[in-house]
Amino acid sequence: MKKYLIMAAGAAALITGVALFADDDERYERRVYEHSKTYMQTNPQKRALNEFETTYQKECGSCHMAYQPEFLPKRSWSKMMDTLDNHFEVDATLSPNDHKTILAYLTSNAGDSKYTTKHFSRMSNSVPRDEAPLRISETPYFMKEHKGIPKRFIEQKEVKSLANCSACHTTAEKGIYSERAINIPNYGRWDD
Amino acid sequence: MKKILTVLGLSAAFSLAAPIEGYMQTLADEAKKADAGFSGFDAKRGEKIFISEHIGKKGKSISCASCHSNDLNKAGENVFTAKVIEPLSPKANKERLTDIKNVEKWLRRNFNDVYKREGTALEKGDVLTYIQNY
């Protein structure tokens, strides 16, 4: 009996969740806003994931690191989300609901959104206004920062490509890319 | 109150049957529609779908096993991004095949990635049978 009650409670919670999610757009926008407002102000290590981030982590983070939205401008994320059927030659299409959630999350936290920090948006700010790169590694600031790294470090099997941030930036998933946290496989610490 | 309990009870009863069984039935119905001679899914055919290599969307010869590994009870690694993929077999990974939305999404994407087209109901059923019985 207890088991049934737990299941019933679970089902009820699910229904409530769906009902909340299906609420009108205005409420939806406000929740994105509330999320964004606190996003960079909270200690990233302690910050609890909200539904937008959870969806982003689950859907995008299952194939590659869930890159921080601050790294690209809004126009890049819009273009990215418009071309998921051929996402770097992989099918990354989403359900309409997840698509909406992730697009809202990415654009409202993008490098040119009002919630980003100066420090975090350097990559995005280095992109010429008339360009909308899809690769973070093609932004001028990124290229400058990674210029001196020998190809063999990047192409080795533990790293594979520049897209694999956390291979060397040990705290990348927490949004911390400090030099102290760099550890290149088969090499070690990196000092500029 | 009684009414609420009944409703809750009903939704609980619904969640008792494993969702994957319902999905397999849907696929079987579709397969039968496409071919009246359909006589059930086959893990052997599913295995072939899973391990045979094809020129995929990226122009490279790959199979499902390229990323999921040949041993479904072990973790795999995304061949393009090096991201670890948890084991595909439900025996090794309890979360597998529990969320139909997720199952459908990955079948759609991965068939496109390896076969450059979506899978048929028969193919999807076969490959799921292979994974279920691994």
Side-chain angles (χ1 to χ4, degrees):
Chain A
M1 185 59 199
K2 209 170 176 186
K3 207 167 158 192
Y4 283 93
L5 271 179
I6 293 169
M7 275 181 169
L14 203 78
I15 290 162
T16 323
V18 169
L20 271 179
F21 195 77
D23 217 335
D24 59 277
D25 274 1
E26 198 186 315
R27 180 164 181 164
Y28 188 87
E29 301 273 306
R30 199 173 70 228
R31 295 174 78 189
V32 181
Y33 172 78
E34 275 164 7
H35 157 64
S36 309
K37 212 169 47 174
T38 51
Y39 179 55
M40 291 314 296
Q41 294 163 4
T42 332
N43 180 346
Q45 287 171 67
K46 286 185 181 163
R47 185 167 50 87
L49 297 182
N50 74 1
E51 73 189 79
F52 292 95
E53 254 185 310
T54 313
T55 309
Y56 178 58
Q57 296 269 0
K58 181 175 170 239
E59 295 303 324
C60 306
S62 51
C63 295
H64 53 71
M65 199 193 97
Y67 307 111
Q68 283 77 18
E70 287 79 2
F71 285 154
L72 288 175
K74 284 179 201 167
R75 56 186 183 279
S76 287
W77 291 125
S78 300
K79 192 171 161 191
M80 188 99 64
M81 295 300 286
D82 272 347
T83 53
L84 286 181
D85 58 327
N86 195 359
H87 183 67
F88 304 101
E89 290 149 334
V90 164
D91 183 340
T93 48
L94 295 160
S95 74
N97 256 346
D98 289 341
H99 193 276
K100 190 181 169 191
T101 303
I102 291 171
L103 180 65
Y105 171 72
L106 290 172
T107 51
S108 60
N109 292 289
D112 53 348
S113 71
K114 53 183 160 180
Y115 308 110
T116 190
T117 62
K118 236 186 187 161
H119 174 78
F120 229 113
S121 58
R122 278 180 294 191
M123 221 98 79
S124 167
N125 284 341
S126 72
V127 178
R129 276 173 188 279
D130 56 342
E131 284 175 28
L134 295 184
R135 289 178 198 275
I136 298 167
S137 58
E138 282 172 3
T139 64
Y141 183 77
F142 183 104
M143 291 201 287
K144 180 180 145 254
E145 286 294 303
H146 295 82
K147 207 166 53 190
I149 302 163
K151 240 184 174 163
R152 66 178 191 280
F153 290 168
I154 297 161
E155 286 170 356
Q156 61 176 327
K157 70 177 193 323
E158 291 87 347
V159 180
K160 286 206 177 207
S161 84
L162 282 172
N164 191 4
C165 309
S166 45
C168 305
H169 294 272
T170 56
T171 49
E173 311 229 2
K174 292 175 187 155
I176 301 165
Y177 292 84
S178 70
E179 215 164 274
R180 269 190 318 178
I182 297 174
N183 184 11
I184 301 176
N186 303 312
Y187 177 74
R189 287 195 51 178
W190 180 265
D191 291 303
D192 265 334
Chain B
M1 185 61 197
K2 215 172 178 183
K3 223 177 193 173
I4 295 173
L5 271 180
T6 318
V7 171
L8 287 181
L10 272 176
S11 45
F14 262 116
S15 55
L16 277 182
I20 189 70
E21 282 163 33
Y23 183 59
M24 292 304 281
Q25 190 53 53
T26 313
L27 288 175
D29 293 345
E30 262 180 65
K32 189 137 189 105
K33 229 190 209 166
D35 173 16
F38 169 75
S39 62
F41 295 122
D42 178 42
K44 262 264 163 290
R45 287 198 305 257
E47 179 177 20
K48 203 177 157 221
I49 292 169
F50 196 85
I51 61 172
S52 61
E53 289 203 0
H54 303 265
I55 301 293
K57 212 167 173 174
K58 272 184 182 266
K60 259 177 86 173
S61 182
I62 57 163
S63 68
C64 309
S66 305
C67 294
H68 288 291
S69 105
N70 277 321
D71 184 347
L72 270 52
N73 288 321
K74 290 203 180 119
E77 190 184 288
N78 186 312
V79 69
F80 300 115
T81 68
K83 181 109 186 173
V84 171
I85 302 171
E86 297 304 324
L88 196 52
S89 150
K91 287 185 191 79
N93 184 353
K94 289 270 169 281
E95 276 174 39
R96 288 298 185 196
L97 311 187
T98 56
D99 178 357
I100 301 309
K101 193 183 136 201
N102 213 29
V103 170
E104 284 186 301
K105 179 185 77 187
W106 284 111
L107 283 171
R108 180 185 74 236
R109 288 178 172 181
N110 291 165
F111 260 101
N112 271 329
D113 291 334
V114 178
Y115 288 83
K116 291 198 280 193
R117 60 167 175 83
E118 290 204 22
T120 64
L122 180 70
E123 289 170 328
K124 289 192 267 191
D126 282 346
V127 86
L128 284 174
T129 304
Y130 170 64
I131 297 168
Q132 275 180 317
N133 296 313
Y134 192 83

